[in-house]
């Protein structure tokens, strides 16, 4: 059976999603989890686009050894040179060069002729080829380009050394039959096509990214570019978990295999959601909270009798833990460690002790500590940004009489104790105003949301916020059984990210 190459672009196209910026440590953590997932290629970033991207691509190239590490570059000499500088230390480096191909882009954006584009594409692939054998080329907006011109470009870049030719549906315009026809046309009309892998890269503007990618696989494409949870520019990219699980579930139709360890899917989906701050919709295929829960009595009856009646995938195949064991305040360190292992976490003794202390505190407040609570503990306690200001304590008074008031005590960068108080229109407003008086970094709150991690009155509340400063968005998260405390933690988390970025930029 043919092998389908899974090219993950969560850290590049995924990170292009509005408000989804990740810091360098978060990118490395996701890259490591993608390696565990077994993806073949990680597109780690676009080095020329910012110094931060350059650094994170270099770090991932040095640290993550099994997959190919790919760096994106425009068809421009400086871009290609910078992408190579960033990725050259990878065990398996790849350069990915892209250039617009459609008349719409040529006429209105690049103001170049087809002949000029063809020459640039060939020259820039040849330049990349001087650095590495593994060169990918993408004619951007391919699905809105005249097919005959696509065949010409593809042939020219393969001739210049491209080993992968990627056909992007950049604006998510294609429908499956049409996109499949384009891929089939490439195989039929490009004379040297057997010297390269045909790849596809589909966007989800019409909700067809996965369907288009799969149709392309049926027509011979052997690399699919996708992202975890389908995040990405605008409506996002083809979702990795949906592509992989369709191929696995419908082997009868696709007759290709992937190297993905599907048991890691749920975990990487949670990680990406936590770090980007993009929640996964409950009805999302494969990884949504309701993807395997049966509400209707008839369905429940069927599943109890024989799961296959209403379940086409065993949830354990994608690593959704069978939550047989619920922990409580009598649970010891051993049971806690066992549950963590079942959820796929292996912690150092030091991290285990920290997480166990938080678990015990929570178990004192909550009767049952569920898997989601444990995941929340790990996310909050073990993934803290290095703090410039530490939240020591808060006191808030509010109600429908009187003015909401908050007092806050922080520990500052030199260990100094800082305290202040403020009034606000509500408790969170008062709290954030008090923190602002102490930290003094101008910013605008652009998003604030609270959700409960589990059911019940004693559930942990998770607060997600986004703040904007000088055109950059910073995400902050906080969790606590008290949502006001969670709000304070989320705000401090976002402010500390902002301050850390400012410090790194000098
Ligand atoms: O959508 C697109 O065309 C891209 C290219 C850079 C491959 O992301
Ligand atoms: Zn894209």
């Amino acid at each position: 059976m043919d092998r389908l190459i899974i090219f993950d672009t969560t850290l590049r196209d995924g990170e292009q999603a509005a408000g989804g910026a990740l810091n360098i440590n978060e990118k490395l953590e996701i890259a490591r989890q993608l390696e565990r997932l077994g993806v073949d290629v990680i597109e780690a970033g676009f080095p020329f686009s910012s110094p931060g991207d350059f650094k994170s691509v270099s770090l991932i190239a040095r640290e993550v050894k099994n997959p190919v590490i790919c760096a994106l570059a425009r068809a421009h000499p400086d871009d290609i040179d910078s992408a190579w500088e960033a990725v050259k230390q990878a065990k398996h480096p790849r350069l990915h060069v892209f250039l617009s191909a459609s008349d719409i882009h040529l006429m209105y954006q690049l103001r170049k002729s087809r002949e000029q584009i063809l020459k640039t594409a060939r020259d820039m692939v040849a330049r990349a080829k001087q650095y590495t054998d593994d060169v990918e080329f993408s004619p951007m907006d391919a699905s809105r380009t005249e097919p005959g011109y696509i065949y010409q470009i593809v042939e020219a870049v393969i001739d210049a050394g491209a080993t992968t030719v990627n056909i992007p549906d950049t604006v998510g315009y294609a429908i499956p039959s049409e996109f499949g026809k384009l891929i089939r046309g490439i195989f039929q009309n490009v004379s040297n096509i057997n010297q390269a892998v045909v790849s596809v890269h589909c966007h989800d503007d019409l909700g067809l990214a996965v369907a288009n990618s799969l149709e392309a696989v049926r027509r011979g494409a052997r690399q699919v570019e996708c992202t975890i949870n389908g995040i990405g520019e605008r409506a996002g990219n083809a979702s990795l978990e949906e592509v992989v699980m369709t191929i696995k579930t419908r082997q009868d139709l696709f007759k290709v295999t992937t190297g993905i360890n599907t048991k890691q899917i749920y975990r990487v989906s949670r990680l990406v959601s936590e770090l980007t701050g993009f929640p996964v919709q409950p009805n999302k295929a494969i990884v949504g909270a309701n993807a395997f829960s049966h509400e209707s009595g008839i369905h429940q009856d069927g599943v109890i009798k024989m799961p296959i009646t209403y379940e086409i995938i065993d949830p354990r195949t994608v690593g959704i833990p069978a939550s047989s064991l619920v922990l409580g305040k009598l649970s010891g360190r051993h049971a806690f460690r066992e549950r963590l292992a079942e959820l796929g976490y292996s912690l150092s003794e030091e991290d285990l002790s920290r997480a166990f202390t938080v678990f015990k505190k929570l178990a004192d407040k909550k009767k049952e500590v569920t898997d989601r609570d444990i995941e929340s503990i790990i996310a909050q306690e073990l993934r803290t940004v290095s703090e410039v200001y530490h939240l020591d304590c808060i006191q808030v008074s509010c109600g429908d009489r009187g003015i909401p008031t908050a007092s806050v005590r922080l520990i500052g960068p030199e260990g100094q104790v800082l305290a202040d108080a403020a009034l606000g229109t509500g408790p969170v407003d008062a709290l954030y105003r008090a923190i602002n008086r102490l930290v003094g970094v101008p910013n605008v709150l652009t998003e604030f949301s609270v959700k409960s991690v589990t059911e019940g009155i004693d559930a942990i509340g998770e607060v997600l916020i986004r703040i904007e400063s000088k055109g950059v968005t910073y995400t902050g998260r906080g969790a606590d059984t008290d949502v006001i405390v969670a709000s304070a933690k989320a705000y401090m988390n976002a402010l500390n990210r902002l301050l850390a970025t400012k410090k790194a930029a000098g």
Side-chain angles (χ1 to χ4, degrees):
M1 223 185 293
D2 273 6
R3 172 73 182 268
L4 179 69
I5 298 167
I6 299 295
F7 176 116
D8 181 277
T9 182
T10 306
L11 296 175
R12 200 279 297 169
D13 219 333
E15 213 228 0
Q16 270 172 235
L22 297 162
N23 68 32
I24 188 164
N25 297 328
E26 292 166 338
K27 286 185 185 174
L28 181 61
E29 191 176 351
I30 291 177
R32 291 210 159 107
Q33 185 56 33
L34 290 171
E35 184 179 37
R36 271 179 229 120
L37 179 68
V39 303
D40 300 286
V41 186
I42 294 177
E43 187 162 56
F46 183 179
F48 196 73
S49 67
S50 73
D53 246 38
F54 186 95
K55 276 192 205 146
S56 56
V57 173
S58 313
L59 180 67
I60 292 168
R62 284 197 305 275
E63 299 289 326
V64 180
K65 296 291 172 214
N66 288 332
V68 170
I69 306 297
C70 175
L72 183 71
R74 284 172 306 177
H76 190 283
D78 295 346
D79 261 56
I80 294 172
D81 298 350
S82 153
W84 177 249
E85 262 318 292
V87 85
K88 68 180 181 195
Q89 289 188 56
K91 193 162 170 215
H92 312 287
R94 172 180 295 186
L95 287 175
H96 178 186
V97 181
F98 72 99
L99 180 60
S100 284
S102 66
D103 286 340
I104 301 175
H105 284 205
L106 265 55
M107 203 180 303
Y108 297 113
Q109 196 180 12
L110 302 186
R111 298 178 203 284
K112 294 246 164 76
S113 68
R114 285 189 181 184
E115 291 66 36
Q116 285 171 308
I117 293 295
L118 198 61
K119 179 171 173 353
T120 308
R122 193 180 302 141
D123 291 352
M124 291 305 111
V125 166
R127 186 178 188 101
K129 195 72 179 183
Q130 290 175 346
Y131 289 126
T132 173
D133 262 353
D134 192 345
V135 176
E136 172 168 334
F137 179 82
S138 295
M140 195 154 76
D141 204 17
S143 54
R144 292 194 301 169
T145 305
E146 192 217 310
Y149 185 53
I150 288 289
Y151 308 151
Q152 250 184 299
I153 297 197
V154 167
E155 189 153 314
V157 295
I158 296 176
D159 206 37
T163 41
T164 301
V165 281
N166 179 44
I167 308 302
D169 180 21
T170 303
V171 291
Y173 179 73
I175 65 164
S177 54
E178 186 184 28
F179 197 59
K181 201 167 148 208
L182 176 63
I183 301 302
R184 196 183 52 204
I186 289 173
F187 280 103
Q188 288 170 344
N189 293 288
V190 176
S191 65
N192 53 3
I193 198 66
N194 58 354
Q195 293 168 34
V197 172
V198 174
S199 166
V200 288
H201 175 112
C202 298
H203 279 269
D204 210 28
D205 300 66
L206 294 174
L208 293 170
V210 171
N212 285 334
S213 306
L214 292 170
E215 186 55 26
V217 172
R218 279 171 27 87
R219 300 295 174 188
R222 286 297 174 263
Q223 174 175 290
V224 171
E225 303 199 352
C226 42
T227 60
I228 302 298
N229 300 334
I231 64 168
E233 183 83 31
R234 304 181 314 279
N237 290 59
S239 124
L240 180 146
E241 57 279 6
E242 292 174 24
V243 170
V244 167
M245 290 313 294
T246 306
I247 299 247
K248 189 175 165 78
T249 310
R250 299 307 308 271
Q251 277 291 294
D252 54 325
L253 293 179
F254 289 98
K255 313 215 185 300
V256 291
T257 54
T258 71
I260 296 296
N261 173 1
T262 59
K263 290 214 156 74
Q264 294 289 334
I265 284 179
Y266 176 71
R267 192 168 161 208
V268 72
S269 161
R270 299 280 321 141
L271 179 70
V272 168
S273 169
E274 271 157 24
L275 296 184
T276 56
F278 295 135
V280 174
Q281 76 203 51
N283 59 323
K284 164 86 175 62
I286 316 296
V287 289
N290 295 346
F292 298 98
S293 68
H294 305 274
E295 271 306 294
S296 131
I298 297 172
H299 290 205
Q300 286 175 350
D301 174 63
V303 169
I304 290 164
K305 287 178 178 147
M306 177 59 88
I308 198 179
T309 49
Y310 291 94
E311 241 171 41
I312 57 166
I313 298 170
D314 178 339
R316 285 167 301 186
T317 319
V318 292
I320 294 186
S323 35
S324 48
L325 196 62
V326 176
L327 300 181
K329 68 177 180 182
L330 298 178
S331 308
R333 192 181 162 96
H334 182 69
F336 183 62
R337 188 204 300 265
E338 293 278 295
R339 193 72 201 124
L340 282 177
E342 281 168 21
L343 291 171
Y345 297 105
S346 84
L347 305 189
S348 67
E349 282 306 312
E350 193 192 326
D351 284 348
L352 180 72
S353 300
R354 271 172 66 200
F356 186 62
T357 309
V358 183
F359 158 74
K360 276 296 198 188
K361 275 193 202 148
L362 179 65
D364 265 343
K365 295 189 201 161
K366 243 182 136 240
K367 218 166 77 212
E368 290 182 338
V369 178
T370 66
D371 293 343
R372 292 298 317 279
D373 294 325
I374 293 174
E375 284 168 357
S376 176
I377 292 175
I378 301 292
Q380 295 304 312
E381 297 303 320
L382 304 185
R383 225 174 270 136
T384 43
V385 190
S386 54
E387 289 186 314
V388 181
Y389 289 90
H390 174 75
L391 180 70
D392 188 30
C393 68
I394 64 163
Q395 182 71 46
V396 176
S397 102
C398 62
D400 62 356
R401 305 276 184 279
I403 304 170
T405 314
S407 59
V408 174
R409 197 164 63 212
L410 305 181
I411 308 298
E414 270 97 46
Q416 71 276 39
V417 177
L418 306 162
D420 212 327
L423 306 176
T425 50
V428 176
D429 184 45
L431 186 60
Y432 285 13
R433 282 174 191 269
I435 294 174
N436 284 345
R437 288 168 69 96
L438 294 171
V439 177
V441 183
N443 69 81
V444 179
L445 181 69
T446 54
E447 192 179 326
F448 178 94
S449 66
V450 191
K451 76 173 170 41
S452 85
V453 169
T454 49
E455 305 89 51
I457 196 89
D458 58 356
I460 291 186
E462 248 179 26
V463 172
L464 167 85
I465 66 160
R466 289 200 167 88
I467 60 175
E468 205 182 293
S469 171
K470 300 201 170 123
V472 183
T473 298
Y474 302 87
T475 305
R477 305 173 75 95
D480 201 280
T481 46
D482 180 326
V483 290
I484 302 297
V485 176
S487 306
K489 286 183 180 174
Y491 193 44
M492 291 310 300
N493 186 240
L495 284 175
N496 277 319
R497 275 167 202 264
L498 189 164
L499 292 165
T501 310
K502 262 176 99 174
K503 197 168 147 204

